[in-house]
Amino acid sequence: MRSDRQSAPLGLKIAAAAGLAFLHLPLLLIFVYAFTTEERSYQWPPPGLTLQWFAVTWNRPDVWQALTLSIKVAAISTVIAMILGTLCAAAVSRTRFFGRETISLLVILPIALPGIITGIALRSAFNLADIPFSTWTIILGHATFCVVVVYNNAVARFRRVSGSLVEASMDLGADGFQTFRHVILPNIGTALVAGGMLAFALSFDEVIVTTFTAGQQQTLPIWMLEELVRPRQRPVTNVVAMVVVLVTLLPILAAYYLTRDGDQIAGSGK
Amino acid sequence: MTTAVAFEKISRHFGTVKAVDAVDLDIREGEFFAMLGPSGSGKTTCLRLIAGFERPTAGRLSIFGERAEDVPPYRRNVNTVFQDYALFPHLNVTDNVAYGLMVKGVAKAERRRAADEALELVKLPGYGARRPGQLSGGQRQRVALARALVNRPKVLLLDEPLGALDLKLRENMQEELKALQKSLGITFVFVTHDQGEALSMADRIAVFDHGKVMQVGTPEEIYKTPNSRFVADFVGSSNVLPPDFVLRHAGEKRWASLRPEAVRLVEQGPGSIAATVISSAYLGGTTRLGLDVEGQRINAVLPAGEPFPAEGKPVHIGFARDDLHLMDEGG
Amino acid sequence: MSLAQASAILPERGGLRGSLSDTLWRKPTVLLVLLLTPPVLWLGIVYLGSLFALLLQSFFSIDEFSGLINREFTFKTYGELLRPSNIDIIVRTVSMAAMVTLAAAVVAFPIAYFAARYARGKWKALFYLGVMLPLWSSYLVKVYAWKLILAKEGILTWLFAKLHLTWLIDAWLSLPIVGGNSLSVSFTGTFIVFLYVWLPFMILPVQAALERVPQNLVEASSDLGATPAQTFRNVLFPLALPGIVAGSIFTFSLTLGDYIIPQIVGTSHLFIGQAVYAHQGTAGNIPLAAAFTVVPIVVMGFYLWGAKRMGAFDAL
């Protein structure tokens, strides 16, 4: 492989580096703004740096409430999505049955179609069925589009756990439950955890569907959206934005490390 | 002798595909039994029927006299060495080997001891702590073998066990498997598409084609007296001679097979047949000639050292009438 | 090891677990049904049910005087959808989606190509994370970051001033359509933010497609005397195309349905998402909102159909 040692043409290097910089610099900017002393505008460069906004944010009950609701919703949605996604992946990868493609399509549809469609569809269904908005209406929506990330991760791993491993286990005297416990679970475990983390990150961050299913409740993204539309406390928003970046990065990094050997995180699953 | 595995009119159909079609088969206790056939001939499906990974769509399957169609794999005292070995990637070698004992609830110390013993048996002592990923193909296969044998199965099934190994390793393993089978006395059933492997290892062979058993017999019977064109062609790379040809040279209008080593180059004379050399290949110990005889292609294998004619040369061939094996049907 | 003395068939294990396990082996369909029932029920009832209810409502109409929804089957709402002002919205949104997709393909290609062909080992992981992290970072934070950047007092204005290029921004902003009062209230701003937010969705599938191009194909092409440009046009691009189409499914679909970006960074001209949001919310005209959502569904339907024919799904 002679070409492996060849280095890339300069133009390509520059274009790739510029592309990556375009992706990352705006996020880094968030970190600077969290420390700015400027309160009323988005002035650059910051006239001064301060830590005071962290304390201010810390003492804001509305931020805490929104954060708590977001975590609660994300946690429950993740659990539901993990169960449904794993079941679906197991069924699809186990056998070639009639309608297999349809099942895949059904799982992917909630993210393949624009979020606004999912959102308005759920909202009008709640209206028709006279279901009042609650935490559960948010969860219903989130779990629906989170299924696909768990599913994508699990399907990729199930494919690697070849059918003969299950047969080998049964051949050696393990019944269905023992096979699940001793062979299937250990082999798909990390993929499931990774899928769960991505689902958590996805739910924690979701805003489009949530605006339709939350009613008067505020998740953290909804709180931020209101600040974006009608900025009132810019410094607090800056701090929250930074915290959100950090909080979502952790599960992504963890998911990456759990799945890096072999299959990749199903990034297209978002 | 008791029958280890009995197939009675067993069929396994997948929709319209008849993977196994009304097969009757008796595998005797303690024998080394080979199922030979091209891919898609149903031999692997038969193995999976014995293991319990497939269920027959019709017919009766008994293992040591007990009906087995409705028995799941984990209740059959039968173990399999898989073609891809199917070692558990998350367990080390000891835990892989001890898996069967673990799910049966054998105490930890005892299953460790049994696993070590089994690894010794397959000549891999001291490999217990490794992961399957750190082993070579040959070593993985030995682990797979130990993992099956540690359960002391009544029947051991081997699915193309040597397919993934290189030539040298394969020859070693052939000998070892045979020796192992002799010393343990377990019934071995192995699936292969390699006729040389089947002939050299098995006590008896079943030749499969299109979901049916074409012939069952000892290697010698199969090789010397194939009952059909298919078996003659697949097993011995024999010359399959059409009825017209046989009528002209042996006086009977039937299909026949003639092994290439039975064909001799002779001087022109009574009974000799004119032929033209089309190809020759030097094989070390022997030389293989491709001959054109009255438009019929015939292969001959000559011992090395014998002078062989150049391509395109006219020659005369002959064979003993006894070597011509007449077959019952045309296949 | 001695010859086994045990029976060839072991006794049934008994109990609920034993018999359940045996049953699932005998009837694999039962297991399949057990596995599929919960997810299919959930997605079928919660999701498809809602979607169906929504589509149904697009055939209802709203009474203009009372503001009540008239639940009779009619195409009246679709007639309303085809008013010039609404057609404008649709054309605007679809052209924006097309431009964002095109730009994303252009920007994504070098990154994907570099990652697929030149990055090895540590660098490869770094590139991968370098795309994954922005992809998964909070959508709103990303939009917010651009609000900071594009603001009149923000970093971009400052940067151009430092480079003495302020005239360039002013000239651009004075252009019709793409211009505006400032970048943060112009289509240019909307376009940049869309491009930024959806770019990773394009990089990943293109990289996946390029990784499947055997290295020796590129070498064979240059060996046969092709210039790099020819190699790109005749070998790399056709092979990467399924990846680009796969990525464009995301960039296109996501742009079609977004209502937050044009609301925060953009002009007062509406996009489909905003129209849907406005009609279902303050106006209470659910039928028209529903009819509007049919547009992206139909557009994406054709798009997916075309993509499938090009084999783009293998690159997902």
Side-chain angles (χ1 to χ4, degrees):
Chain A
M1 293 288 279
R2 183 169 50 91
S3 59
D4 272 4
R5 270 178 269 125
Q6 265 176 17
S7 68
L10 188 66
L12 180 66
K13 272 186 187 162
I14 293 172
L20 280 186
F22 173 63
L23 281 176
H24 287 270
L25 290 182
L27 286 174
L28 292 178
L29 202 65
I30 294 283
F31 286 75
V32 180
Y33 269 95
F35 298 94
T36 184
T37 48
E38 171 63 42
E39 272 184 67
R40 307 202 183 287
S41 76
Y42 301 122
Q43 190 195 336
W44 182 272
L49 298 175
T50 170
L51 283 173
Q52 62 160 320
W53 304 120
F54 287 86
V56 172
T57 311
W58 185 267
N59 293 317
R60 288 284 296 266
D62 56 334
V63 173
W64 280 109
Q65 268 169 17
L67 180 68
T68 317
L69 180 63
S70 274
I71 289 177
K72 185 176 159 194
V73 166
I76 300 176
S77 307
T78 301
V79 171
I80 298 175
M82 279 176 82
I83 295 170
L84 297 179
T86 312
L87 288 176
C88 233
V92 165
S93 54
R94 245 186 88 84
T95 37
R96 308 203 144 267
F97 58 89
F98 177 74
R100 194 163 163 251
E101 302 282 310
T102 318
I103 300 284
S104 302
L105 186 68
L106 186 62
V107 172
I108 291 166
L109 209 58
I111 54 142
L113 286 180
I116 193 162
I117 296 179
T118 309
I120 187 175
L122 286 172
R123 178 179 205 144
S124 60
F126 294 149
N127 267 343
L128 287 178
D130 269 333
I131 300 171
F133 293 118
S134 69
T135 311
W136 290 102
T137 52
I138 307 179
I139 291 170
L140 212 62
H142 282 208
T144 304
F145 59 73
C146 282
V147 170
V148 70
V149 266
V150 180
Y151 172 82
N152 276 354
N153 270 274
V155 154
R157 188 63 68 86
F158 268 121
R159 219 175 276 147
R160 264 198 334 180
V161 181
S162 62
S164 64
L165 284 190
V166 172
E167 286 181 352
S169 168
M170 291 214 158
D171 186 70
L172 292 165
D175 64 27
F177 298 94
Q178 288 172 316
T179 299
F180 180 76
R181 152 103 175 68
H182 295 297
V183 173
I184 299 178
L185 206 55
N187 275 296
I188 63 162
T190 51
L192 286 192
V193 174
M197 293 199 167
L198 295 181
F200 188 92
L202 185 58
S203 163
F204 187 77
D205 179 40
E206 214 291 329
V207 63
I208 293 191
V209 175
T210 318
T211 48
F212 292 94
T213 56
Q216 297 304 310
Q217 309 163 85
Q218 275 197 334
T219 61
L220 203 57
I222 302 251
W223 183 92
M224 271 205 71
L225 181 61
E226 305 229 319
E227 286 300 315
L228 279 177
V229 178
R230 277 176 292 278
R232 275 171 301 179
Q233 308 94 9
R234 294 175 197 225
V236 176
T237 314
N238 292 337
V239 171
V240 170
M242 189 185 103
V243 172
V244 167
V245 169
L246 289 177
V247 168
T248 35
L249 286 198
L250 290 178
I252 305 312
L253 282 175
Y256 171 73
Y257 280 104
L258 284 173
T259 52
R260 75 190 144 155
D261 48 326
D263 49 30
Q264 304 187 321
I265 322 176
S268 50
K270 187 168 174 179
Chain B
M1 235 186 221
T2 15
T3 301
V5 181
F7 281 53
E8 288 172 70
K9 292 265 166 295
I10 286 200
S11 296
R12 178 66 176 102
H13 296 177
F14 297 95
T16 55
V17 181
K18 298 176 174 177
V20 172
D21 198 24
V23 162
D24 284 306
L25 205 60
D26 274 316
I27 298 170
R28 297 173 197 147
E29 182 174 4
E31 78 176 335
F32 202 128
F33 191 86
M35 301 209 229
L36 174 67
S39 58
S41 60
K43 56 189 193 310
T44 301
T45 309
C46 277
L47 195 81
R48 294 172 56 79
L49 284 163
I50 305 175
F53 305 140
E54 302 281 353
R55 301 186 65 206
T57 29
R60 293 160 63 103
L61 171 71
S62 354
I63 301 175
F64 283 87
E66 289 187 80
R67 289 290 292 275
E69 301 100 81
D70 284 337
V71 179
Y74 48 85
R75 290 207 286 113
R76 301 183 187 199
N77 203 350
V78 167
N79 288 114
T80 309
V81 175
F82 289 82
Q83 186 173 13
D84 62 355
Y85 314 135
L87 299 181
F88 303 121
H90 61 294
L91 300 178
N92 66 20
V93 168
T94 300
D95 290 340
N96 259 288
V97 175
Y99 185 87
L101 302 175
M102 189 262 295
V103 295
K104 283 187 198 82
V106 175
K108 190 157 192 173
E110 198 185 329
R111 57 182 203 248
R112 268 203 84 88
R113 195 188 47 72
D116 286 346
E117 214 177 277
L119 283 173
E120 200 127 345
L121 189 72
V122 298
K123 300 188 179 142
L124 275 184
Y127 279 73
R130 302 211 191 173
R131 292 258 164 178
Q134 300 167 302
L135 301 177
S136 70
Q139 291 169 334
R140 276 182 222 188
Q141 171 166 54
R142 285 161 191 271
V143 174
L145 197 59
R147 184 178 69 174
L149 287 174
V150 80
N151 304 295
R152 304 176 181 189
K154 301 282 276 186
V155 180
L156 183 74
L157 307 173
L158 302 109
D159 187 5
E160 301 266 2
L162 309 175
L165 304 181
D166 59 44
L167 184 67
K168 187 129 182 113
L169 213 51
R170 195 178 328 169
E171 284 171 356
N172 283 342
M173 224 31 216
Q174 282 181 7
E175 279 172 31
E176 262 183 62
L177 274 180
K178 212 165 153 68
L180 204 59
Q181 193 264 339
K182 273 222 175 78
S183 67
L184 295 173
I186 296 176
T187 311
F188 275 35
V189 179
F190 89 106
V191 156
T192 179
H193 63 268
D194 180 336
Q195 67 276 27
E197 203 168 282
L199 292 172
S200 69
M201 291 171 78
D203 296 324
R204 287 197 309 144
I205 300 173
V207 185
F208 281 76
D209 187 39
H210 288 103
K212 294 200 179 280
V213 174
M214 305 301 288
Q215 188 172 2
V216 184
T218 63
E220 202 179 2
E221 284 166 358
I222 299 273
Y223 189 71
K224 284 199 171 153
T225 57
N227 66 357
S228 59
R229 277 165 70 193
F230 174 78
V231 175
D233 194 39
F234 189 77
V235 176
S237 50
S238 277
N239 296 300
V240 175
L241 305 174
D244 295 348
F245 188 93
V246 179
L247 181 65
R248 281 198 298 279
H249 299 290
E252 274 196 77
K253 196 174 165 67
R254 277 165 70 183
W255 285 91
S257 73
L258 180 66
R259 283 172 294 117
E261 60 272 24
V263 181
R264 290 278 157 262
L265 291 182
V266 294
E267 296 293 318
Q268 186 170 11
S272 76
I273 307 165
T276 315
V277 179
I278 341 176
S279 68
S280 63
Y282 177 66
L283 302 176
T286 54
T287 303
R288 193 180 63 220
L289 288 185
L291 301 160
D292 177 44
V293 184
E294 299 162 13
Q296 172 72 30
R297 162 89 185 214
I298 287 182
N299 288 324
V301 172
L302 307 178
E306 209 169 292
F308 60 92
E311 283 168 33
K313 262 195 87 168
V315 292
H316 285 86
I317 60 165
F319 50 85
R321 173 64 181 76
D322 284 353
D323 284 330
L324 191 72
H325 169 66
L326 299 174
M327 293 184 288
D328 295 331
E329 48 97 38
Chain C
M1 214 178 300
S2 66
L3 183 57
Q5 295 305 312
S7 157
I9 303 286
L10 307 175
E12 281 189 39
R13 300 194 171 175
L16 183 64
R17 189 177 124 170
S19 51
L20 189 58
S21 186
D22 284 13
T23 310
L24 292 182
W25 173 79
R26 282 190 199 114
K27 297 196 165 51
T29 331
V30 174
L31 178 62
L32 194 63
V33 169
L34 282 180
L35 287 175
L36 276 179
T37 307
V40 167
L41 276 185
W42 181 287
L43 291 170
I45 292 178
V46 173
Y47 188 67
L48 286 186
S50 312
L51 214 54
F52 185 72
L54 179 69
L55 290 183
L56 199 66
Q57 295 197 49
S58 69
F59 293 103
F60 296 160
S61 62
I62 193 157
D63 188 301
E64 277 158 36
F65 301 104
S66 63
L68 291 175
I69 290 166
N70 181 7
R71 295 192 175 181
E72 266 170 51
F73 190 86
T74 170
F75 283 105
K76 187 175 150 237
T77 311
Y78 282 96
E80 244 174 277
L81 180 67
L82 297 177
R83 274 186 205 152
S85 61
N86 289 339
I87 293 283
D88 270 359
I89 294 178
I90 294 170
V91 169
R92 183 178 305 128
T93 311
V94 173
S95 357
M96 178 61 89
M99 281 189 299
V100 168
T101 300
L102 214 63
V106 171
V107 179
F109 196 88
I111 304 178
Y113 186 54
F114 190 92
R117 191 166 161 206
Y118 293 102
R120 291 282 172 274
K122 245 195 185 119
W123 279 100
K124 184 138 202 146
L126 216 64
F127 252 88
Y128 185 66
L129 278 179
V131 178
M132 286 308 283
L133 292 183
L135 169 70
W136 284 92
S137 313
S138 167
Y139 161 84
L140 277 177
V141 170
K142 285 186 275 192
V143 179
Y144 184 60
W146 279 94
K147 198 175 163 101
L148 300 178
I149 293 169
L150 298 175
K152 242 191 166 115
E153 69 276 17
I155 188 169
L156 209 61
T157 316
W158 172 82
L159 194 69
F160 274 78
K162 285 273 171 197
L163 296 170
H164 303 290
L165 289 173
T166 309
W167 56 272
L168 194 64
I169 291 194
D170 290 341
W172 183 264
L173 285 176
S174 63
L175 292 175
I177 303 179
V178 296
N181 262 338
S182 87
L183 278 175
S184 58
V185 290
S186 69
F187 281 134
T188 311
T190 319
F191 169 79
I192 293 175
V193 181
F194 269 134
L195 175 63
Y196 174 77
V197 173
W198 309 140
L199 181 60
F201 290 93
M202 180 63 93
I203 298 176
L204 289 175
V206 175
Q207 183 184 342
L210 283 175
E211 250 155 33
R212 267 176 263 173
V213 178
Q215 181 57 50
N216 51 19
L217 272 189
V218 177
E219 275 163 16
S221 170
S222 51
D223 193 50
L224 294 168
T227 63
Q230 285 170 322
T231 302
F232 174 81
R233 203 175 55 235
N234 297 321
V235 180
L236 276 177
F237 184 71
L239 288 168
L241 197 61
I244 295 176
V245 174
S248 73
I249 294 172
F250 291 104
T251 54
F252 206 85
S253 159
L254 290 166
T255 312
L256 278 187
D258 197 279
Y259 75 94
I260 288 179
I261 291 173
Q263 183 188 359
I264 291 171
V265 178
T267 66
S268 54
H269 297 289
L270 294 181
F271 282 74
I272 290 179
Q274 290 168 289
V276 171
Y277 189 71
H279 283 301
Q280 68 85 37
T282 42
N285 191 347
I286 295 251
L288 185 55
F292 251 118
T293 62
V294 172
V295 177
I297 294 180
V298 169
V299 172
M300 284 320 291
F302 277 110
Y303 205 99
L304 289 174
W305 178 71
K308 196 178 166 116
R309 290 188 44 155
M310 292 185 63
F313 287 113
D314 302 334
L316 281 181

